[in-house]
């Protein structure tokens, strides 16, 4: 079979590049016999274990056991894919990857011209900012935002003056004004599109300017920011701002710090938080997640503290999960965004940030907390609402994660997993009753002739919130319950001690039919109040009623003993009655 054009390109490029020279741009190599050795660039080590074989044009690390050829090396070192490695090495070797049609060649040439124009524009704006009197306005803005020159130069910030300065600069260099207009740098009358603005280049992961965003320096300007249009060189949903500067620190930290705005990232880098990047004011996209996944498997998300920011964070969590990326979400405290938070912290910014990041919950936990925000989980209606929100939240994740997340949500809420089942409405449409109506005392109406006793109410509450057993079992003994409630209480308690909050759901099929029915009814229609404190109050009420009943019994026995003139028994019963009366009075006083 003939070799494909793609295979031909790989073979041609591989024949024209030297692996040793490519590796030496990133690793200091020493020759030993026929091979070259150095410290592996892909993991930390103190003695060289990375070997390059020039004859085979292959490499191998005895430490991390990675290996490959020149394409594999470039993929890993540049955090790109196989096609990206081919393009980089083809440019190096002067290989044209494939024959282009006239239309394709025009698009390719146009993109190349645009990239050259954007690079030139970035250099021009930076020069104006730092080397001309006109740039003083931009320098004052940076000073007010506490951005140092060192940080500004790292991001290649610049200033666009009013008028036609850039057009005159291009004419002097004999460059095309049409290319500048196509790149979104110049209007038709040759005035600068970004006039009187601080200009921020948006660069790709290798540092090539693709577009600009620009902030006004004028107080009377209604549009604070304007942005480059999308062009053949720039699709905003495929670029991560600051990635070219953050990539090494991301590898060192093990995660990327994803923010919303460019100034958030600039301020973060200025305070030493150099793994920060931004989605450039757009909702996170699949392409951006794929790009970030080249560098890390974990994102620490930091979005604005308003409702829109929290919603954006949740969408980012779900999108990252679809690409098998872990997430955490840091909540900004006392500020509207990271820029304001970090500047307010001053010299304490790195420390304050580490404290904030250390408290960041996982992305899924962040969504759980948001689902229950403002709800009282001791109220049955609120429990139902929170459970519904959590079901909707869990349903957004890949199916492979949903069961694990239901378990986590169940433990977090302290409720039966039945409330978090994927299709909870089915349990109401299968002959089971709807919610009970609560009486004045909070006890539900009776079912099937069963009186709703305090003990039965406690059993329903424990069915919905098994974690309440931790406190209830210290407040009551099985003997203090009515005989018809005692057996199911003991069985539920033993199940909880064996399997925790999940035990009841896992073992319910082994319960007697009547007990199953009681528990399923509680799941379908939880009691009005399922707070653990209420469970404790019910247990104490049962104990108090039991004590009062015992006290009444002792008084009756005492009368009999007195009639029979059994004075020894009288003395014993009187002592028991006094002790019980004191205990009852103490419980009533506490209650």
């Amino acid at each position: 079979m003939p070799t494909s054009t793609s295979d031909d390109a790989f073979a041609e490029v591989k024949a024209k590049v030297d692996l040793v020279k490519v590796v030496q741009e990133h690793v200091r190599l020493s020759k030993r016999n026929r091979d070259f050795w150095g410290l592996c660039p892909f993991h930390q080590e103190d003695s060289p274990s990375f070997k390059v074989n020039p004859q085979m044009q292959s490499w191998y690390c005895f430490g991390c056991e990675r290996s490959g050829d020149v394409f594999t090396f470039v993929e890993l070192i540049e955090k790109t894919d196989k096609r990206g490695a081919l393009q980089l090495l083809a440019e190096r070797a002067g290989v044209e990857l494939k024959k282009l049609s006239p239309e394709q060649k025009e698009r390719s040439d146009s993109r190349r011209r645009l990239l050259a124009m954007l690079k030139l524009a970035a250099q021009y704006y930076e020069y104006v900012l730092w080397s001309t009197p006109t740039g003083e306005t931009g320098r004052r803005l940076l000073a007010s935002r506490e951005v140092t020159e060192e940080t500004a130069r790292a991001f290649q910030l610049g200033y666009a003056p009013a008028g036609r300065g850039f057009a005159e600069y291009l004419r002097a260099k004999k460059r095309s004004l049409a290319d500048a207009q196509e790149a979104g740098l110049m209007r038709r009358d040759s005035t600068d599109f970004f006039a009187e603005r601080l200009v921020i280049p948006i660069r790709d992961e290798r540092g090539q300017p693709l577009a600009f965003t620009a902030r006004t320096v004028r107080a009377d300007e209604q549009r604070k920011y304007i942005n480059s249009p999308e062009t053949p060189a720039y699709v905003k949903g495929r670029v991560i701002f600051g990635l070219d500067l953050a990539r090494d620190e991301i590898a060192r930290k093990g995660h990327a710090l994803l923010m919303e705005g460019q100034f958030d990232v600039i301020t973060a880098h200025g305070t030493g938080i150099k793994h920060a990047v931004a989605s450039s004011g757009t909702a996170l996209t699949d392409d951006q997640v794929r790009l970030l996944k080249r560098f890390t498997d974990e994102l620490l998300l930091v979005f604005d503290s308003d409702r829109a920011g929290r919603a954006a964070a949740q969408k980012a969590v779900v999108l990252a999960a679809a690409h098998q990326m872990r997430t955490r979400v840091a909540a900004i405290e006392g500020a509207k965004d990271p820029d304001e938070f970090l500047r307010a912290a001053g010299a304490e910014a790195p420390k304050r940030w580490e404290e904030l990041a250390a408290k960041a919950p996982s992305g899924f936990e962040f969504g759980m907390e948001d689902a229950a925000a403002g709800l009282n989980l001791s109220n049955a209606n609120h429990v139902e609402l929170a459970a519904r929100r959590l079901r909707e939240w869990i349903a957004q994740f890949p199916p492979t994660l949903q069961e694990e997340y239901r378990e986590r949500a169940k433990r977090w809420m302290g409720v039966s997993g039945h409330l978090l089942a994927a299709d909870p409405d089915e349990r109401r449409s299968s002959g089971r009753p709807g919610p009970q109506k609560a009486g004045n005392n909070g006890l539900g109406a009776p079912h099937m002739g069963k009186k709703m006793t305090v003990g039965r109410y406690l059993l329903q509450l424990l069915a919905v919130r098994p974690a309440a057993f931790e406190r209830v079992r210290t407040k009551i003994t099985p003997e203090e319950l009515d005989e018809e409630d005692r057996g199911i209480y003991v069985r539920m308690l033993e199940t909880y001690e064996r399997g925790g909050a999940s035990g009841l759901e896992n073992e319910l099929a082994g319960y007697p039919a009547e007990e199953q029915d009681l528990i399923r009814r509680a799941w379908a229609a939880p009691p009005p109040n399922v707070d653990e404190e209420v469970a404790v109050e019910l247990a104490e009420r049962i104990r108090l009623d039991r004590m009062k009943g015992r006290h009444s019994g002792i008084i009756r026995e005492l009368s009999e003993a007195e009639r029979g003139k059994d004075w020894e028994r009288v003395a014993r019963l009187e002592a028991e009655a006094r002790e019980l009366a004191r205990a009852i009075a103490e419980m009533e006083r506490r209650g």
Side-chain angles (χ1 to χ4, degrees):
M1 291 179 66
T3 306
S4 71
T5 302
S6 176
D7 288 342
D8 287 346
F10 277 99
E12 184 179 0
V13 169
K14 193 169 184 178
K16 290 187 176 181
V17 295
D18 181 3
L19 173 62
V20 175
K21 290 182 179 179
V22 173
V23 172
Q24 281 177 325
E25 293 179 5
H26 304 276
V27 180
R28 182 178 296 176
L29 297 177
S30 300
K31 192 171 184 181
R32 297 184 198 167
N33 299 321
R34 293 184 178 182
D35 297 326
F36 290 84
W37 293 78
L39 296 175
C40 179
F42 306 122
H43 79 284
Q44 295 292 323
E45 62 179 8
D46 298 321
S47 57
S49 63
F50 182 86
K51 183 182 78 168
V52 180
N53 184 320
Q55 284 75 35
M56 300 296 295
Q57 287 289 291
S58 64
W59 58 272
Y60 178 77
C61 177
F62 291 87
C64 64
E65 299 185 351
R66 287 186 172 98
S67 63
D69 59 8
V70 68
F71 296 107
T72 312
F73 181 83
V74 171
E75 279 185 60
L76 292 171
I77 206 75
E78 294 291 345
K79 304 292 192 298
T80 187
D81 54 14
K82 191 172 184 179
R83 181 69 184 177
L86 175 61
Q87 289 175 332
L88 289 171
L89 290 169
E91 291 175 9
R92 179 189 183 106
V95 173
E96 188 175 349
L97 291 181
K98 65 178 181 179
K99 298 295 183 183
L100 302 177
S101 68
E103 294 79 11
Q104 290 173 324
K105 188 172 189 310
E106 173 55 32
R107 283 198 298 272
S108 176
D109 289 344
S110 173
R111 186 176 189 277
R112 191 177 297 112
R113 290 195 309 271
L114 288 178
L115 291 175
M117 179 59 66
L118 291 160
K119 184 175 182 179
L120 189 64
Q123 294 169 351
Y124 168 78
Y125 294 137
E126 185 178 25
Y127 172 81
V128 171
L129 176 64
W130 299 110
S131 303
T132 71
T134 306
E136 175 60 26
T137 308
R139 295 194 293 272
R140 284 200 302 270
L141 176 59
L142 290 176
S144 71
R145 301 295 291 262
E146 301 175 25
V147 178
T148 65
E149 181 175 347
E150 180 185 4
T151 300
R153 285 192 178 278
F155 284 91
Q156 207 176 358
L157 305 186
Y159 183 75
R164 296 177 173 82
F166 185 52
E168 294 167 5
Y169 174 76
L170 293 179
R171 287 193 185 99
K173 286 192 165 286
K174 298 182 179 179
R175 296 298 183 93
S176 168
L177 299 188
D179 287 345
Q181 290 177 8
E182 187 180 354
L185 300 168
M186 189 182 298
R187 295 186 174 88
R188 290 184 179 179
D189 63 358
S190 297
T191 57
D192 199 315
F193 181 73
F194 299 115
E196 296 185 89
R197 290 177 179 270
L198 184 77
V199 180
I200 305 170
I202 299 173
R203 304 181 298 204
D204 66 15
E205 67 273 22
R206 289 185 289 273
Q208 165 65 52
L210 302 178
F212 297 93
T213 186
R215 188 193 190 282
T216 184
V217 295
R218 293 172 48 182
D220 61 346
E221 174 59 65
Q222 292 184 346
R223 292 189 301 168
K224 184 177 288 187
Y225 285 94
I226 59 174
N227 304 294
S228 293
E230 292 197 347
T231 68
Y234 173 59
V235 178
K236 69 178 181 179
R238 297 178 183 172
V239 183
I240 292 291
F241 177 77
L243 186 54
D244 57 318
L245 298 177
R247 51 189 291 177
D248 291 341
E249 186 70 0
I250 288 172
R252 194 179 73 81
K253 287 278 191 180
H255 69 271
L257 175 55
L258 183 65
M259 300 176 169
E260 283 188 276
Q262 288 96 355
F263 255 107
D264 292 329
V265 173
I266 293 168
T267 300
H269 280 248
T271 57
I273 303 166
K274 296 186 180 296
H275 58 307
V277 295
S279 54
S280 293
T282 183
L284 194 65
T285 67
D286 277 296
D287 286 333
Q288 288 173 327
V289 173
R290 277 192 286 267
L291 175 58
L292 285 166
K293 192 169 172 60
R294 293 185 196 169
F295 300 87
T296 182
D297 289 319
E298 182 177 350
L299 301 178
L300 175 56
L301 306 169
V302 192
F303 287 77
D304 291 353
S305 57
D306 57 12
R307 182 67 223 172
R310 293 197 301 275
Q314 290 181 17
K315 289 179 181 177
V317 167
V318 173
L319 183 58
H323 290 271
Q324 297 81 51
M325 293 188 78
R326 302 182 303 278
T327 53
R328 292 183 295 135
V329 181
I332 298 296
E333 300 169 349
K336 64 179 176 62
D337 56 32
D339 174 41
E340 184 179 289
F341 174 83
L342 293 169
R343 286 194 289 123
E348 292 287 308
K351 179 183 176 184
R352 292 280 307 281
W353 187 261
E354 286 300 324
E355 292 170 352
L356 190 71
K359 295 187 295 184
S362 72
F364 176 69
E365 289 167 348
F366 169 79
M368 281 201 302
E369 292 169 0
D370 201 61
L375 299 180
N376 175 9
L377 295 185
S378 67
N379 180 292
N381 292 332
H382 286 200
V383 168
E384 285 276 9
L385 177 57
R388 184 171 73 247
R389 290 177 180 175
L390 281 172
R391 289 193 297 267
E392 293 170 355
W393 174 233
I394 292 168
Q396 296 179 55
F397 288 89
T400 53
L401 295 175
Q402 290 183 15
E403 186 57 38
E404 174 195 344
Y405 285 174
R406 269 192 289 274
E407 283 294 319
R408 288 168 65 178
K410 177 172 63 176
R411 292 194 298 270
W412 180 76
M413 283 185 71
V415 300
S416 165
H418 186 80
L419 293 177
L420 299 169
D423 296 303
D425 290 338
E426 290 181 2
R427 66 181 187 267
R428 298 188 187 274
S429 60
S430 57
R432 297 191 181 100
Q436 305 176 46
K437 291 184 179 180
N440 293 334
N441 61 357
L443 300 182
H447 287 296
M448 300 175 65
K450 287 285 186 181
K451 181 182 178 183
M452 181 54 69
T453 63
V454 177
R456 184 87 6 161
Y457 185 99
L458 177 62
L459 292 174
Q460 287 191 353
L461 192 157
L462 290 170
V464 175
R465 189 180 286 273
F469 267 116
E470 288 295 328
R471 298 181 63 188
V472 167
R473 62 184 172 183
T474 66
K475 302 293 183 182
I476 193 173
T477 63
E479 290 72 24
E480 291 170 316
L481 289 161
D482 291 343
E483 188 173 350
E484 63 178 1
D485 296 332
R486 193 176 303 153
I488 185 172
Y489 175 84
V490 170
R491 206 178 327 274
M492 289 170 67
L493 176 58
E494 291 173 347
T495 298
Y496 175 77
E497 289 174 340
R498 277 193 302 271
S502 303
L504 188 59
E505 192 172 356
N506 296 335
E507 298 185 19
L508 184 61
Y511 279 43
E514 185 176 347
E515 294 179 4
Q516 286 191 42
D517 186 64
L518 183 148
I519 292 168
R520 293 187 190 280
R521 286 179 183 279
W523 286 348
N529 198 323
V530 292
D531 187 86
E532 289 184 15
E533 293 296 336
V534 173
V536 171
E537 290 174 10
L538 291 171
E540 290 179 340
R541 179 173 161 185
I542 291 169
R543 170 167 283 182
L544 180 60
D545 289 346
R546 184 77 172 183
M547 290 167 64
K548 286 181 176 179
R550 174 62 181 152
H551 187 267
S552 297
I554 289 173
I555 297 301
R556 287 193 297 272
E557 288 183 45
L558 186 58
S559 298
E560 292 175 5
E562 287 174 339
R563 284 195 298 271
K565 297 183 180 180
D566 187 347
W567 306 119
E568 184 178 340
R569 187 182 175 204
V570 166
R572 178 172 54 80
L573 290 171
E574 283 180 341
E576 287 184 23
R578 284 194 300 270
E579 186 62 31
L580 263 176
R582 280 196 298 269
I584 290 169
E586 177 62 22
M587 286 192 70
E588 288 179 333
R589 184 184 63 80
R590 290 201 311 266

